[in-house]
Every structure is written in structure tokens, then in C-alpha cells.
Amino acid sequence: MSINRRSFIQTAAAVTASLSAPMVMASGKPRVVVVGGGAGGATAARYIAKDSKGAIDVTLVEPSRTYYTCFFSNLYLGGFRDLGSIAHSYGNLASEYGVNVVHDWAVDIDREGKTVSLAGGGTLDYDRLVLSPGIDFVDGAVEGWDLNAQNKMPHAYKAGSQTELLKAQLASMPAGGVFAMVAPPNPYRCPPGPYERVSMIAHMLKKSNPTAKIIVADPKPKFSKMGLFQEGWANHYDGMIDWIGSEFGGGDVSVNPEAMTVSIDGEQTKVDACNVIPAMKAGRICEMAGITDGNWAPVSAHDMSSKVDSNIHVLGDASMQGDMPKSGFSANSQAKVAAMAIRGALTGSKVFPAKYSNTCWSLVDTNDGVKVGATYKATDEKIAKVDGFISKTGETADVRKATYEESLGWYAGITADMFG
Amino acid sequence: MYSRLLFGIFIAVIGIAVHAENKKEEFILPSSILEIEGDLAYGEYLASDCQTCHRADNSDQGIPGIHGRETIELVYALHEYKNKYRTNEVMQMMAGGLDDEEIAALATYFASLQ
Ligand SMILES: Cc1cc2nc3c(=O)[nH]c(=O)nc-3n(C[C@H](O)[C@H](O)[C@H](O)COP(=O)(O)OP(=O)(O)OC[C@H]3O[C@@H](n4cnc5c(N)ncnc54)[C@H](O)[C@@H]3O)c2cc1C
């Protein structure tokens, strides 16, 4: 964040002015800038533009022209989807909803001046700023791995070329070869994500390379939907998957991307493909804005506004909000609450109490879908869980198939809800 | 309403075991619930959560389209989920978190579309 002497001195005056003169906009319409065109940001941009019916100028800053959803990227690895089916563009947001889409990186935020600087040199003014930049990785989280090694040992935890690379490496494993995954510590994006990925990779290897082995080194003693995944692994991929939890040294890991070795609890293994999913933190721009506390950006549960600066709303994975998992569904749900609050603040539209929900579907094998979900409410302390459910072990094939089909409907629904 | 009642009686009379799928046929809401006027603006906000899954183009792959359905049908469906007369866990949970006014608001909003 750029606090130069001048803007620092002006802060006190600016704060007083903004308190006594709400909604005084230099150029007429209030302006919202949204940084990040993913599950949180695209939804927020669309809802603010759609529901304010032109009363608010919405600018979306997103470097990529194509957004590959992480959701269903595991199904791409498993051969259930092609890459094109998880690719989305921003065309509709611009043409149908009038969102000003800027393909650039936000590189700095001046909270006093209320501006966002872009890598391309421009500056955007805002009345309200939405940050939904997703995640970055914690430096040094996995010994031997850094971003320079991501071509040898991809993380594939931001979808697109990384996911393609991992798929190609899996496909060229020798017969009976070894694939290793280094799973992340909590909290991280998509709690069931690594385990759905293991399932999908097992599905793919069972067909093309049935004597291959999968090793998972996990720094956690247990994981999301564990009983369901382990049931599925035993049913569909018996003997193929070796999950090593923290009790068995799964957290004591180092990798050597040059030699393609993984050391778990002191034991070194030569691997043919390796997926390293390091510990995560809020997308870097949150840190630059000076709104993080540790690795994440704390927010109010009532409107997703930053606890440091109420003109900034932080959505999705980057936020520290309480009980919701970091998922696309959560980010989308949070975006709607923030959009309503922002419209209320800038145009005086009606604001209702925040309600949130989430459901995460995972595919274990063909037509074997499982799900976990919860509803949440806002308390002064955090987003607090109200009610929830989880699929049961031993469900019939019909139930599992219906769950999978429901996930297809959800995917079509959420992507339409994000991109129009 | 009346036909639902008759159907319920019919089932009881001929003694067919009422299992999960048939239960909804005997599920009757009192008029105090059916007569609640839904708040359209509140319904619009609440509906944003539904639209993550229920698509505006009403396609029904895996998840049914609900835009433009009759208010009474939607009110019944949501109360049936809330009371677990219908089986889907996601919907039981979502409806379980709604009070009578919220269900009326949602039904009014979805019925108003198209
Ligand atoms: C393998 C996998 C499977 C998953 N499966 C599911 C699932 O089934 N269901 C589910 O709900 N969730 C799932 N998720 C989680 C989901 O993808 C994320 O939780 C969700 O994308 C978070 O949304 P977000 O808006 O916080 O971040 P993102 O969707 O990642 O969007 C962030 C965007 O911000 C942009 N950005 C970052 N920094 C800047 C900057 N400085 N300037 C401009 N733009 C910037 C990025 O380019 C990116 O497009 C999965 C994740 C993974 C990895």
C-alpha cells in the first residue's frame, strides 16, 4: 500500500469528510472496482451491475481473458470433462450487464486516495472496492518447492495450464509408476479438493495404467468427507492409494523437483509425477492493501467488509470470515451479500440481513457423487454455521448418481450466475 | 387444497402404505400460511442464493428449473422440504433455514418471473 507523506497527512481530513458527506461523487455515478474475476469477483460485478440498473459504474479488473474454473478441474483430470467445458469468458459481463472489464493486474491500492493502480500504468478511482483475488502460496511451505518448480511439480490449484500440465504428466507415467500428492494444511481452498483429485487420478490411472500407485502425504490427521472418500477408494481403487496422514509422518515432507523424489517421514521415494499443493494465503493484493491479519483478510460477517477498511469488501478464499469453507459456492454466496450491502450504501437500496450457504459436491468415480453442505448466518463475531448435512457411507448407487447429476446442474448454474 | 384432502382420505381408506414419495400428497398447509403475502424485494434478495443452482433459463439438468412456477406450488414444495416430506438434503437444509414469510417471499418472487 502506498502511504506517502502527503496521503498520510490527508487521512484524518479525508476520514472526517467521508463521514459527514456520504455519497458525494465527483463524477456523478458511484464507482465500484472489483479486483479478480473469479467465483467471488465475477458474481459481485454481475449482481451490482444487474441490480443497480446502471446507477453504479462497475469495473472488473482481471488479468486473464479466460477463466478456468477450479471446480470441475478434477473432473477434467479424471477424463469426465474437457478443458473447454471449464473455460469461461467475460464477454457477457461487458455486453449484457455493462461491466467495464479491464484485463490487467491490480498492483497497488491507495486506501486514503481510494485508487487502484494497474500494472499497465492506469489508475482507477473507487467509492467501494471489492477484492476477490483468490489464493497465493505461502513461501517455503514445502521444503524444496517454490514457484520455479511448478512446471516439474505442478500445484494445479489455480486451474488452466497448470491443470493441463498435471494431466499430461499423469498420462506419460510409465506402467506401474508412482504419483505423489503433497496435500496442504488447513485452511485452504476447497477442503475436499485434493481428495476428489486423488479419486479422479485413480479413476484415470485404473483405466490407462492399472498397476500405478498413488501416495498422498498429508500434514492433517483427517480431512473433509474422509469416511466417504475412504469408502470410495476401497470400493473402486482397492490397493492403489496410500494416504499418509500426520500421525504417520505425512506432514514431514520435502521434495526434489530436479531428481523427482519425495521424502516422507525420512523415507525417500522416486516418483513419476508429483502434485505439490502448498499452504495458502490470501491473494497478494490483500497484503499490499494492508488489510491482512496473518495470511488472510478479516471481514465483517454482516457485509464482507474488511475489518481494517469498511470501503473494501473481501470475498471468497482471501477472506477470513468464520465457519464457511473456502469454496466457489461460498465465494458466490458472499458476493451476493456484499453486492446488496454495496448497493445499499451507494444508492440507498434496501438491505436485508445476510444469509449464506454452501454445498460442495465431489466425484469419487463414475456416477458416484457425494456432497456436504451448510447454511450460515452473520453474527458480530463471524459467519456462523446454522445447519448442515453430509452424504452417508453406504448410500445406494441411485442416490450417488442423483448427487452427481445434481453437481452438473450446480456447475451450469453457478457459472451462469457468475458470468451471465 | 380440496383435491389434496380427498386424495389423502382416499389413500387412508384403501389402506395403501404411505411411504416417502406419497407422503407429500397428505401434506396440507393451513390457510394462515398460504395467505401470507410475499415481499417481492425480500424474495429477490433471498432468491439470489437459489440461483446458484436453479438457472434463470429454467434448464433442468440435475436440478429443476423453478422460475415462473405457481406461487402455491413453490410454497408447498419449500414447506415439504422444510418438513422433510421431500428427500433432497440440500433442499431440506435450504428450506429448513427459511421462515414462513421468507418462503412466501421466495415463492412470490419466482412466480413473478416470466
Ligand atoms: C481442484 C479444485 C477443485 C475445486 N472444486 C470446487 C467445487 O467443486 N466447488 C466449489 O464450490 N469450489 C471448488 N473449488 C474452490 C474454488 O475454486 C475457489 O474457492 C473459488 O474459486 C474462490 O473464488 P475467489 O473469487 O476467492 O477466487 P478465484 O475464483 O480464484 O478468482 C480470483 C481471480 O482473481 C484474479 N486476481 C488475483 N490477483 C489479482 C490482481 N492483483 N489483480 C487482478 N486480478 C487478480 C485471478 O486471476 C483470478 O481470476 C475447487 C478448487 C480447486 C483448486
Side-chain angles (χ1 to χ4, degrees):
Chain A
M1 162 168 185
S2 46
I3 301 192
N4 58 34
R5 248 175 76 80
R6 219 180 88 245
S7 71
F8 186 68
I9 290 164
Q10 283 172 347
T11 310
V15 168
T16 323
S18 68
L19 284 177
S20 56
M23 287 186 249
V24 178
M25 314 308 159
S27 60
K29 276 191 198 177
R31 291 149 308 185
V32 172
V33 174
V34 180
V35 173
T43 308
R46 177 166 169 268
Y47 270 78
I48 295 168
K50 169 171 85 67
D51 294 341
S52 72
K53 300 182 175 68
I56 297 176
D57 265 339
V58 183
T59 300
L60 176 64
V61 183
E62 162 61 52
S64 308
R65 279 165 200 279
T66 304
Y67 177 82
Y68 292 94
T69 57
C70 283
F71 21 112
F72 278 24
S73 67
N74 287 331
L75 276 64
Y76 159 72
L77 292 176
F80 291 89
R81 302 286 285 215
D82 60 32
L83 198 63
S85 78
I86 60 167
H88 302 272
S89 83
Y90 297 93
N92 275 353
L93 287 182
S95 62
E96 304 279 317
Y97 301 94
V99 174
N100 174 26
V101 180
V102 176
H103 289 299
D104 206 339
W105 287 94
V107 290
D108 201 5
I109 286 158
D110 175 354
R111 290 201 273 116
E112 281 72 28
K114 291 198 188 169
T115 59
V116 177
S117 308
L118 304 178
T123 305
L124 298 167
D125 296 328
Y126 67 83
D127 296 296
R128 288 287 172 123
L129 175 63
V130 176
L131 297 181
S132 195
I135 50 106
D136 274 307
F137 300 112
V138 173
D139 288 338
V142 175
E143 196 187 323
W145 192 94
D146 65 19
L147 277 181
N148 295 309
Q150 71 171 2
N151 278 5
K152 295 224 158 64
M153 294 186 171
H155 53 77
Y157 236 61
K158 297 181 183 185
S161 53
Q162 275 281 300
T163 328
E164 274 184 288
L165 187 62
L166 178 58
K167 190 172 167 87
Q169 291 172 352
L170 289 162
S172 54
M173 276 169 56
V178 177
F179 163 71
M181 170 190 279
V182 178
N186 290 321
Y188 61 95
R189 148 177 290 186
C190 194
Y195 313 98
E196 181 188 57
R197 174 170 292 175
V198 165
S199 310
M200 290 294 93
I201 290 173
H203 170 86
M204 171 251 181
L205 290 174
K206 191 176 163 183
K207 276 198 204 158
S208 62
N209 190 349
T211 54
K213 290 268 173 264
I214 297 176
I215 304 172
V216 185
D218 205 322
K220 306 181 290 297
K222 56 184 176 38
F223 57 82
S224 170
K225 303 184 201 168
M226 184 161 170
L228 293 165
F229 280 116
Q230 290 189 329
E231 173 195 54
W233 295 348
N235 285 345
H236 304 295
Y237 316 116
D238 194 27
M240 193 180 226
I241 301 165
D242 185 10
W243 177 77
I244 305 168
S246 59
E247 282 122 339
F248 302 95
D252 177 12
V253 175
S254 66
V255 298
N256 183 336
E258 290 304 321
M260 284 304 282
T261 57
V262 175
S263 157
I264 306 168
D265 199 22
E267 190 180 322
Q268 189 165 302
T269 308
K270 179 94 179 80
V271 296
D272 301 291
C274 184
N275 174 208
V276 176
I277 311 175
M280 294 168 209
K281 61 179 183 179
R284 211 161 287 119
I285 193 72
C286 292
E287 222 169 297
M288 288 157 141
I291 56 165
T292 49
D293 176 5
N295 286 334
W296 310 100
V299 293
S300 154
H302 297 292
D303 60 2
M304 300 302 293
S305 64
S306 160
K307 291 203 167 159
V308 178
D309 183 336
S310 60
N311 289 316
I312 301 180
H313 299 254
V314 188
L315 307 178
D317 294 353
S319 67
M320 185 201 289
Q321 34 68 20
D323 295 348
M324 297 184 84
K326 297 184 187 300
S327 74
F329 199 125
S330 296
N332 171 271
S333 176
Q334 294 159 6
K336 291 164 186 172
V337 169
M340 173 186 60
I342 290 169
R343 284 197 302 119
L346 298 179
T347 67
S349 66
K350 207 164 168 186
V351 177
F352 299 100
K355 268 189 177 227
Y356 302 93
S357 59
N358 175 63
T359 297
C360 285
W361 285 266
S362 302
L363 188 59
V364 183
D365 196 358
T366 308
N367 288 328
D368 190 358
V370 293
K371 58 185 171 180
V372 59
T375 51
Y376 305 86
K377 66 175 183 194
T379 67
D380 288 341
E381 184 207 344
K382 62 172 185 174
I383 297 183
K385 182 173 166 179
V386 176
D387 188 17
F389 72 88
I390 181 164
S391 296
K392 290 164 201 66
T393 51
E395 282 171 342
T396 64
D398 285 350
V399 169
R400 292 296 176 85
K401 182 161 186 270
T403 301
Y404 170 59
E405 281 165 0
E406 201 174 80
S407 77
L408 300 177
W410 164 77
Y411 184 89
I414 190 171
T415 51
D417 203 37
M418 290 162 63
F419 299 106
Chain B
M1 265 300 282
Y2 186 60
S3 63
R4 279 171 191 272
L5 235 153
L6 269 186
F7 188 61
I9 292 166
F10 172 71
I11 285 185
V13 168
I14 62 171
I16 293 173
V18 180
H19 50 77
E21 276 315 300
N22 284 339
K23 265 187 179 173
K24 64 184 176 205
E25 302 300 347
E26 55 164 21
F27 184 85
I28 311 263
L29 288 168
S31 54
S32 58
I33 285 182
L34 294 173
E35 281 159 12
I36 298 172
E37 289 257 355
D39 178 332
L40 199 63
Y42 192 31
E44 182 175 14
Y45 162 63
L46 292 172
S48 65
D49 240 9
C50 313
Q51 284 160 338
T52 305
C53 296
H54 294 283
R55 295 175 63 181
D57 67 8
N58 250 349
S59 58
D60 61 357
Q61 179 196 26
I63 292 174
I66 56 171
H67 292 62
R69 297 227 189 162
E70 297 280 325
T71 312
I72 184 159
E73 184 191 354
L74 294 165
V75 168
Y76 257 100
L78 284 167
H79 279 284
E80 284 166 358
Y81 279 120
K82 187 177 160 116
N83 290 286
K84 307 208 191 302
Y85 273 70
R86 293 192 187 208
T87 49
N88 185 290
E89 294 111 314
V90 180
M91 284 309 302
Q92 288 178 350
M93 174 186 78
M94 296 302 290
L98 300 169
D99 63 26
D100 296 347
E101 273 73 24
E102 288 170 330
I103 287 178
L106 272 171
T108 304
Y109 175 71
F110 276 111
S112 79
L113 299 172
Q114 284 147 17

